[in-house]
Amino acid sequence: MPGELKIISEIRKRARASTDVSVGIGDDAAVIKLCGERDLIACSDLMVEGVHFRLEWTDAEMIGRKALAVTLSDVAAMGGAPRFAMMSVALAGKLSPEFIDDLIRGMFDLADSCGVSIIGGDTSSSRDSLFIDTIAIGECPRGRAITRAGAEAGNDIYVTGSLGAAALGLTLLEQGFTLNDEQNKVEKERGIAIRKQLAPEPRLEAGRLIGESSLAMAMIDISDGLSTDLWHILEESRCGAIIHAEAIPIAECVMNLGEEMMIDPLAFALHGGEEYELLFTARPENHTQVFELFKTLELQVTNIGHITQGGGLHLERNGSLESLAPSGYEHMI
Amino acid sequence: MPGELKIISEIRKRARASTDVSVGIGDDAAVIKLCGERDLIACSDLMVEGVHFRLEWTDAEMIGRKALAVTLSDVAAMGGAPRFAMMSVALAGKLSPEFIDDLIRGMFDLADSCGVSIIGGDTSSSRDSLFIDTIAIGECPRGRAITRAGAEAGNDIYVTGSLGAAALGLTLLEQGFTLNDEQNKVEKERGIAIRKQLAPEPRLEAGRLIGESSLAMAMIDISDGLSTDLWHILEESRCGAIIHAEAIPIAECVMNLGEEMMIDPLAFALHGGEEYELLFTARPENHTQVFELFKTLELQVTNIGHITQGGGLHLERNGSLESLAPSGYEHMI
């Protein structure tokens, strides 16, 4: 069976160019030239029970919230501002009316908090799994959407926030930990990791401001893992990259729980998916402006390496270079 | 468990009014004021295996085609022109690469034939069923979207094409008939009904031209059945209606196969869903213009009754009035 990327590549081959479509299939979102000084950004994101979440690990409110969050994150990754959203939900008969109310509440709470209007959607029954497709419609200044294809040799590579906690949260859930017990320091750090997995905070303001400032040359949100998502930028921009192991911002909870859990914190930060942090490149002369922008946002941003002419993706560790394979998460079909 | 309408009503209550949203949740599609002289129309439609289709009744190409067709039909029902589409597909592991190729081809063939660009979507695996959510983005002249809420007492009620074949097709499929055998007249008529069910032709040009002409006061596409969809118009427009049994355009195959299959053709035409014909109301002084428009479209249109001040929905048959309950299809959750 072909993987997700294979299907997308088939669809991409088949898609006909339209003069109104600035960015089509294959980026975080599509960009449409409509009218006036703004471009329209549109995208959809699927969340399927048993593939993206398990009912026993989370609650309906967090499922609704996350379903919308990951789609809004795609608009942010284009440097746009999400404005409207729709959701299509197929509900299995086993779910209670309270579950459905909570699911809707989770979605609306996030939408309200970031000025997004829920304008429609569809509902259906489902024989078995819960299935949620969320659709976001946003906008950005005309011609200013930031794709995966704009990186240039010499660009610095930046990432927002810190990495690895969402993947650690998934590992903890798989090991049977929950959000309930947070008595001591270790339990609190487990809670931070699990919350990053179940209730990610998309970087909406950062995405919009990066778009408005025109500082970024290429951008993506980290949904598949830093190595895979950086690889997407390299493929689309036809260039290479070197990132520095010591520079990768590893989440504190991952550092602190790493030894006890016998995991490699750096591997979690490099390959862990569902972070919904922004990964972007910018010209070196804009270094100061990037840090000034994030200072006003009160959000951590880290320069983790730079774009090269070619040569694939490499990790510099202790003075030597090693080839870094994109080994993040791709849904298996 | 609450039905689909109950969920939509909950969501509607929660949705906050935004000045940019002309039409929100509860109509065929949402309408957004963006910029310039055009409004944006957006909607999504879910198709779930085992609920909306069965793999053994159809093929991948027809599934892909129908998934997009029903969503484009919603844009037509607002008097708009669909321009862009996205599809989110969750694929069960049992499906072959050929199935996926055919599904994509069915969708693209329809999109290409009506000038719609596929701009994005998402894919995922699914533990069990095939889920397809299609999203359409269209446009109409500013302020001219036709909602369900504009019908006025005295309006004539019109329906495009003829009714009942899609529901008959579903009955035939349930009885084990397929598209394969079309040797004689009866088999050919069964084929017509099954094709109307599996490969509906949305009335895209009619919808767009009705929108541009400003002839219709209220419009909806018949997805749940004439009685239910007319009821939606009456509820939103706060009025009643009388329709005439003799005027209902019953599909020829339904008339011809009715006796043999021991079904009531009128009941199929009144309550059968998934027709994707347009149902609209217009002022009586525009009667001639409506028929002239459909003459240029070479499409049948029938005046089936009129809107009343109130009093619910009635069927006039052989000179007497009977109350008509909306008994079309609502997906059971």
Side-chain angles (χ1 to χ4, degrees):
Chain A
M1 295 290 291
E4 183 175 345
L5 296 177
K6 168 80 168 51
I7 296 172
I8 292 169
S9 122
E10 284 300 313
I11 296 175
R12 213 168 163 177
K13 261 191 255 163
R14 181 67 206 262
R16 292 205 311 181
S18 160
T19 52
D20 297 331
V21 181
S22 307
V23 180
I25 292 158
D27 218 299
D28 293 283
V31 182
I32 300 167
K33 281 181 250 171
L34 270 190
C35 50
E37 292 305 302
R38 313 291 286 174
D39 281 341
L40 193 84
I41 297 174
C43 55
S44 70
D45 247 299
L46 259 179
M47 267 183 42
V48 180
E49 181 187 345
V51 179
H52 299 85
F53 61 89
R54 293 194 201 164
L55 292 181
E56 60 272 29
W57 285 354
T58 179
D59 62 38
E61 199 173 330
M62 284 196 288
I63 293 172
R65 187 185 174 85
K66 181 169 176 177
L68 181 60
V70 303
T71 315
L72 300 183
S73 179
D74 281 330
V75 176
M78 304 301 289
R83 299 283 312 282
F84 310 100
M86 301 192 287
M87 63 166 177
S88 292
V89 187
L91 294 153
K94 64 189 172 193
L95 303 174
S96 69
E98 291 72 33
F99 183 96
I100 299 165
D101 284 349
D102 289 348
L103 185 84
I104 292 167
R105 185 176 345 111
M107 189 149 343
F108 270 98
D109 282 351
L110 176 60
D112 289 351
S113 73
C114 54
V116 167
S117 301
I118 307 264
I119 57 171
D122 196 11
T123 60
S124 167
S125 55
S126 160
R127 286 187 306 186
D128 25 58
S129 302
L130 169 61
F131 166 98
I132 308 173
D133 191 35
T134 45
I135 299 103
I137 297 176
E139 54 178 20
C140 69
R142 167 154 280 198
R144 300 261 283 277
I146 306 162
T147 70
R148 302 172 179 185
E152 300 167 339
N155 280 186
D156 290 319
I157 303 168
Y158 296 91
V159 66
T160 63
S162 61
L163 301 176
L168 185 71
L170 182 61
T171 304
L172 287 164
L173 289 164
E174 282 169 342
Q175 291 177 358
F177 291 99
T178 66
L179 274 180
N180 297 328
D181 306 313
E182 297 189 29
Q183 303 297 317
N184 56 39
K185 189 165 176 285
V186 168
E187 285 171 0
K188 278 187 182 124
E189 284 185 324
R190 284 191 197 122
I192 290 169
I194 294 174
R195 267 191 297 277
K196 179 89 179 178
Q197 166 62 222
L198 299 181
E201 299 278 352
R203 301 302 189 187
L204 304 185
E205 208 184 344
R208 181 176 62 78
L209 290 178
I210 292 169
E212 285 180 4
S213 69
S214 294
L215 284 173
M217 304 302 294
M219 186 151 65
I220 193 169
D221 66 335
I222 299 184
S223 54
D224 295 335
L226 172 61
S227 61
T228 301
D229 288 313
L230 181 52
W231 191 257
H232 292 321
I233 287 182
L234 302 185
E235 275 191 316
E236 296 296 325
S237 301
R238 295 164 192 250
C239 52
I242 296 172
I243 57 175
H244 306 286
E246 298 78 41
I248 308 293
I250 303 173
E252 209 181 314
C253 60
V254 179
M255 290 302 290
N256 292 341
L257 294 173
E259 195 173 349
E260 180 202 318
M261 292 179 68
M262 292 184 292
I263 57 147
D264 174 8
L266 181 64
F268 269 68
L270 284 173
H271 307 299
E274 300 189 272
E275 295 288 343
Y276 303 104
E277 297 293 346
L278 295 173
L279 174 68
F280 62 98
T281 79
R283 291 187 172 140
E285 59 264 34
N286 291 323
H287 185 266
T288 312
Q289 278 169 276
V290 168
F291 281 95
E292 272 169 9
L293 176 70
F294 279 85
K295 207 169 158 188
T296 64
L297 282 166
E298 295 179 17
L299 177 61
Q300 181 183 345
V301 69
T302 312
N303 178 348
I304 59 168
H306 63 277
I307 298 292
T308 57
Q309 200 72 260
L313 174 56
H314 287 87
L315 179 72
E316 182 270 325
R317 180 163 20 187
N318 303 324
S320 66
L321 276 188
E322 55 197 86
S323 180
L324 185 66
S327 54
Y329 186 62
E330 187 199 346
H331 305 305
M332 295 310 296
I333 305 294
Chain B
M1 296 290 292
E4 183 173 349
L5 297 177
K6 168 80 168 51
I7 296 173
I8 292 169
S9 120
E10 284 300 312
I11 296 176
R12 213 168 163 176
K13 260 190 256 164
R14 181 67 206 262
R16 292 206 309 184
S18 158
T19 51
D20 297 330
V21 181
S22 308
V23 180
I25 292 158
D27 217 297
D28 293 283
V31 182
I32 301 167
K33 283 182 248 170
L34 269 191
C35 50
E37 293 305 302
R38 316 291 284 177
D39 280 341
L40 192 85
I41 298 174
C43 56
S44 68
D45 246 300
L46 258 182
M47 267 182 45
V48 181
E49 181 187 343
V51 179
H52 299 87
F53 62 89
R54 293 194 200 167
L55 292 181
E56 61 271 28
W57 284 353
T58 180
D59 62 39
E61 199 174 331
M62 284 197 288
I63 292 172
R65 189 186 173 86
K66 182 169 176 177
L68 181 60
V70 303
T71 314
L72 300 183
S73 179
D74 281 329
V75 176
M78 303 302 289
R83 298 281 313 282
F84 309 99
M86 301 192 286
M87 63 164 178
S88 292
V89 187
L91 294 153
K94 65 190 172 192
L95 302 174
S96 69
E98 291 72 34
F99 184 96
I100 299 165
D101 284 348
D102 289 350
L103 185 84
I104 292 167
R105 184 176 346 112
M107 187 145 348
F108 270 98
D109 282 351
L110 175 60
D112 289 350
S113 74
C114 54
V116 168
S117 301
I118 308 265
I119 56 170
D122 196 10
T123 60
S124 166
S125 55
S126 160
R127 286 188 306 187
D128 24 55
S129 303
L130 169 61
F131 292 83
I132 309 173
D133 191 37
T134 46
I135 299 104
I137 297 176
E139 55 178 18
C140 69
R142 166 154 280 201
R144 298 263 280 279
I146 306 160
T147 70
R148 302 173 178 183
E152 299 167 340
N155 280 186
D156 290 319
I157 303 168
Y158 297 91
V159 66
T160 64
S162 61
L163 300 176
L168 185 70
L170 181 61
T171 305
L172 286 163
L173 288 166
E174 283 170 341
Q175 291 177 359
F177 291 100
T178 66
L179 274 180
N180 297 328
D181 307 312
E182 296 189 30
Q183 302 298 317
N184 57 38
K185 189 165 176 288
V186 167
E187 286 171 356
K188 278 187 182 123
E189 283 184 325
R190 284 190 197 124
I192 291 168
I194 293 174
R195 265 191 298 276
K196 180 92 177 174
Q197 166 62 221
L198 299 180
E201 299 278 351
R203 301 303 189 186
L204 303 186
E205 209 185 344
R208 181 177 61 81
L209 290 177
I210 291 169
E212 284 179 5
S213 68
S214 294
L215 284 171
M217 304 302 294
M219 184 151 68
I220 193 169
D221 67 334
I222 299 183
S223 53
D224 295 336
L226 172 60
S227 61
T228 301
D229 288 313
L230 181 51
W231 191 257
H232 291 321
I233 287 182
L234 303 184
E235 275 191 316
E236 296 296 324
S237 302
R238 294 162 192 253
C239 51
I242 296 172
I243 58 173
H244 307 286
E246 299 78 38
I248 308 294
I250 303 173
E252 210 180 313
C253 60
V254 179
M255 290 302 291
N256 293 340
L257 294 173
E259 195 171 348
E260 179 201 317
M261 291 180 66
M262 293 184 292
I263 56 145
D264 175 9
L266 181 64
F268 269 68
L270 284 173
H271 307 299
E274 299 189 273
E275 295 288 346
Y276 302 104
E277 298 293 347
L278 294 173
L279 175 69
F280 63 97
T281 80
R283 290 187 171 138
E285 59 265 35
N286 292 323
H287 186 266
T288 312
Q289 278 169 275
V290 169
F291 280 95
E292 272 169 8
L293 175 70
F294 279 84
K295 207 169 157 189
T296 64
L297 283 166
E298 296 180 16
L299 177 62
Q300 182 182 345
V301 69
T302 312
N303 178 347
I304 60 168
H306 63 277
I307 298 292
T308 57
Q309 200 72 260
L313 174 56
H314 287 87
L315 179 73
E316 181 271 325
R317 179 159 26 185
N318 304 323
S320 66
L321 276 189
E322 55 197 84
S323 181
L324 184 65
S327 53
Y329 185 63
E330 186 199 343
H331 306 303
M332 295 311 294
I333 307 293

